[in-house]
Amino acid sequence: MTKVEKISIVGAGLVGSLMSVYLAKRGYKVSLFESRPDLRKADISAGRSINLALSNRGWLPLQEVGLKEKAEELTIPMKGRMMHNEEGQLTFQPYGKSGQAIYSISRGGLNALLLDAAEANGVEIFFNQKCNEVDLNNNILHFEDKKVSSDIIIGADGAFSIIRQAMEHTSRFNYSQQYLEHGYKELSIPPTATNGFKIDKNSLHIWPRGNFMLIALPNLDGSFTCTLFYPFEGEQSFENLQSDEDITAFFKKQFPDAYELMPDLLNDFHSNPTSALVTVRSSPWHKNQSLLIGDAAHAIVPFYGQGMNCGFEDCRVLNDLLNKHDDHWDLVLPEYSKIRKPDGDAISDLALKNFIEMRDQVADESFLLRKKIEAKLHELYPEKWIPLYSMVTFNENIRYSQAADFGKLQSEIMDKVMATPNIESQWEQLDFESIVNQLPPMV
Ligand SMILES: Cc1cc2nc3c(=O)[nH]c(=O)nc-3n(C[C@H](O)[C@H](O)[C@H](O)COP(=O)(O)OP(=O)(O)OC[C@H]3O[C@@H](n4cnc5c(N)ncnc54)[C@H](O)[C@@H]3O)c2cc1C
């Protein structure tokens, strides 16, 4: 490969912007192309989640590019799940050990911070530039009014990536896309009259209702962004929530405490879109001198709060490989595809499974006991037994694929533990050492 100097990134969302900062810091001439206007000047939030949960795998890359402190100013820690039952009773489940939290952050605020950092590091950003086509053999991007050639092309253009679409037409490229039967709609709980929070600000709130759920994440202005995950079609579905009466009756019955806090419910419900949730799998994540990062490579459902975190980790892994191979991209690209793909697949599967846990099991007594026993194992043997959620969320040194493999073994062991007679009353007498010793050592 000729010496790489000029890199073009398509998509200035969260992941493309972060990647541009990493690469500009390495001395490359980086151009970032974004189809939409500059979000720092125009409100383009419609249709995407307003806030996201940032966790360790996202924090580490932000720290590496020097943005951790600035990002911290945009966040609210969420230390656990606050479950709301049909009567409005609350149960709090910590996410991890004391001091561990996931962080609610504004998508727009974080994206703006990354764009500022990109510009400050010399990245040239071109807004309102939709890439229509890519020539993967000659490294040329086509826009409405120009063609751009580069040494490397990075597709960071999201779940419906134009760069990936070009790869789909090449030999031995695998691709699949799967929609969930559920869609989502964003709603809101406004702040109190004095800009305070109407419910606990340091929790991720969940109203689990079996086949569907409502969640809420806090915003710095005292409001909460709520998301209703609900089937598109069927008896209980968005299709059957049309009239004001239907919507009001549904919320009063299913989420009575939330309903009381949502004065703009009907307006939000009618004006905000009902959006689809897609899982995209592809491989390899590179073709010739082009590669995919973030949702372009691996769009996942949001139930582990890992889509952006995983995309940020892609950037860190790519940067580590550039270090390892002294910027020899011909070595970096195949290795990136090889090591990242199993991790993308693992988090994709875990995210799908976690939907069932969040909407259904978190309210189940036996599930809660299981979690309690696992927490005890972790407390007694912190290095040996790390709960799956903690491996994924708080342990950026454990790969997603390793976490998934370990989680499977833990689950098999816990199935046996939960079958112990009278486990509800006897669990504190379990032989915790023999349980933990059933696991192979973590390497
Ligand atoms: C409801 C919901 C909640 C979520 N919650 C979380 C969470 O809590 N934690 C978490 O980690 N993740 C979460 N995610 C996932 C997260 O939003 C994505 O993983 C993340 O936005 C991916 O970033 P990206 O930059 O790869 O893609 P995108 O954010 O999709 O950005 C792609 C960019 O490319 C641009 N673009 C697209 N096509 C072109 C083109 N042809 N030419 C030029 N530009 C183009 C787009 O305009 C866009 O700006 C959530 C997702 C959803 C839907």
Side-chain angles (χ1 to χ4, degrees):
M1 191 186 290
T2 50
K3 188 168 163 24
V4 171
E5 288 169 358
K6 197 175 157 212
I7 299 180
S8 291
I9 302 178
V10 180
L14 296 167
V15 178
S17 309
L18 174 66
M19 193 72 245
S20 76
V21 180
Y22 264 116
L23 294 173
K25 281 182 180 290
R26 297 188 76 85
Y28 292 108
K29 181 171 166 15
V30 184
S31 304
L32 187 54
F33 298 94
E34 168 57 48
S35 56
R36 295 188 292 179
D38 187 345
L39 59 77
R40 294 166 297 181
K41 297 176 190 150
D43 179 15
I44 52 165
S45 59
R48 295 305 300 271
S49 66
I50 289 164
N51 53 20
L52 307 122
L54 176 65
S55 51
N56 287 35
R57 288 173 205 270
W59 279 119
L60 180 56
L62 288 172
Q63 183 177 10
E64 284 189 347
V65 298
L67 292 175
K68 183 166 181 262
E69 281 73 24
K70 281 194 180 151
E72 270 167 358
E73 291 169 19
L74 303 174
T75 64
I76 299 177
M78 299 180 289
K79 297 172 184 167
R81 300 161 164 157
M82 187 70 84
M83 319 299 303
H84 297 240
N85 76 6
E86 282 89 342
E87 281 78 49
Q89 282 166 343
L90 305 180
T91 317
F92 180 75
Q93 297 166 17
Y95 276 129
K97 292 185 290 197
S98 145
Q100 286 181 324
I102 59 174
Y103 292 81
S104 178
I105 190 162
S106 132
R107 179 188 290 274
L110 179 58
N111 212 151
L113 176 68
L114 289 163
L115 290 171
D116 286 347
E119 279 173 347
N121 281 281
V123 175
E124 258 195 296
I125 311 181
F126 302 89
F127 293 101
N128 301 304
Q129 291 291 327
K130 185 169 192 287
C131 174
N132 296 319
E133 208 186 317
V134 52
D135 174 351
L136 295 173
N137 292 323
N138 298 298
N139 297 345
I140 298 174
L141 295 170
H142 293 246
F143 298 89
E144 197 173 290
D145 56 357
K146 61 173 178 265
K147 292 179 190 173
V148 174
S149 62
S150 326
D151 301 317
I152 292 285
I153 291 172
I154 299 184
D157 47 344
F160 304 100
S161 165
I162 192 88
I163 310 295
R164 193 190 62 236
Q165 280 171 37
M167 293 182 180
E168 284 163 27
H169 295 124
T170 63
S171 177
R172 301 188 62 229
F173 186 83
N174 299 301
Y175 164 72
S176 75
Q177 136 180 332
Q178 189 192 7
Y179 281 97
L180 219 59
E181 66 175 76
H182 292 69
Y184 72 94
K185 189 182 278 293
E186 292 200 326
L187 304 163
S188 134
I189 296 178
T192 63
T194 53
N195 287 334
F197 293 85
K198 287 185 177 163
I199 46 179
D200 181 53
K201 81 179 232 201
N202 293 122
S203 298
L204 191 155
H205 294 262
I206 311 182
W207 290 258
R209 296 295 180 264
N211 187 36
F212 59 92
M213 67 178 179
L214 179 73
I215 67 167
L217 274 72
N219 297 310
L220 287 174
D221 66 358
S223 67
F224 283 81
T225 302
C226 305
T227 313
L228 173 64
F229 295 97
Y230 202 48
F232 274 106
E233 285 142 15
E235 201 180 317
Q236 285 194 308
S237 71
F238 279 115
E239 171 180 75
N240 285 335
L241 285 185
Q242 298 291 339
S243 68
D244 288 358
E245 293 72 31
D246 290 344
I247 298 163
T248 307
F250 172 71
F251 272 79
K252 273 185 166 172
K253 179 167 180 231
Q254 298 292 347
F255 317 115
D257 57 336
Y259 174 78
E260 295 299 323
L261 309 174
M262 301 169 97
D264 301 326
L265 172 66
L266 292 174
N267 186 32
D268 284 350
F269 202 96
H270 292 303
S271 39
N272 294 345
T274 307
S275 306
L277 293 163
V278 70
T279 297
V280 173
R281 290 186 169 90
S282 64
S283 76
W285 290 358
H286 77 288
K287 252 308 138 150
N288 304 342
Q289 272 75 258
S290 297
L291 75 147
L292 304 172
I293 57 175
D295 278 16
H298 50 71
I300 63 177
V301 293
F303 306 112
Y304 231 112
Q306 285 295 317
M308 163 192 65
N309 289 291
C310 178
F312 281 8
E313 197 175 66
D314 293 344
C315 302
R316 178 172 69 83
V317 169
L318 192 69
N319 189 57
D320 285 350
L321 289 173
L322 287 165
N323 287 337
K324 177 178 168 190
H325 293 299
D326 219 4
D327 290 70
H328 284 102
W329 285 79
D330 44 348
L331 300 176
V332 168
L333 292 179
E335 194 167 331
Y336 166 76
S337 273
K338 189 168 166 229
I339 61 173
R340 261 330 255 169
K341 167 71 179 155
D343 292 333
D345 285 344
I347 190 58
S348 177
D349 291 341
L350 289 171
L352 284 163
K353 276 194 206 140
N354 216 43
F355 186 28
I356 298 164
E357 178 167 324
M358 277 180 93
R359 72 185 197 213
D360 202 358
Q361 296 169 338
V362 279
D364 179 81
E365 287 299 323
S366 150
F367 173 83
L368 295 179
L369 176 60
R370 196 178 169 112
K371 290 278 155 193
K372 215 192 268 184
I373 297 171
E374 282 206 68
K376 183 79 187 169
L377 285 164
H378 185 40
E379 187 192 315
L380 293 173
Y381 305 98
E383 306 297 326
K384 283 189 175 173
W385 191 288
I386 307 174
L388 177 59
Y389 186 85
S390 297
M391 284 192 277
V392 169
T393 308
F394 301 125
N395 285 269
E396 60 278 22
N397 297 322
I398 302 176
R399 291 176 57 180
Y400 285 123
S401 50
Q402 271 184 302
D405 290 347
F406 247 79
K408 201 161 167 263
L409 291 176
Q410 289 174 330
S411 174
E412 285 161 12
I413 296 169
M414 284 306 296
D415 285 346
K416 284 189 259 160
V417 170
M418 294 304 289
T420 311
N422 303 320
I423 183 73
E424 299 77 13
S425 54
Q426 298 302 312
W427 72 272
E428 280 171 293
Q429 275 73 55
L430 286 167
D431 181 352
F432 290 103
E433 187 165 358
S434 77
I435 298 175
V436 89
N437 283 340
Q438 293 174 50
L439 269 183
M442 212 166 212
V443 275

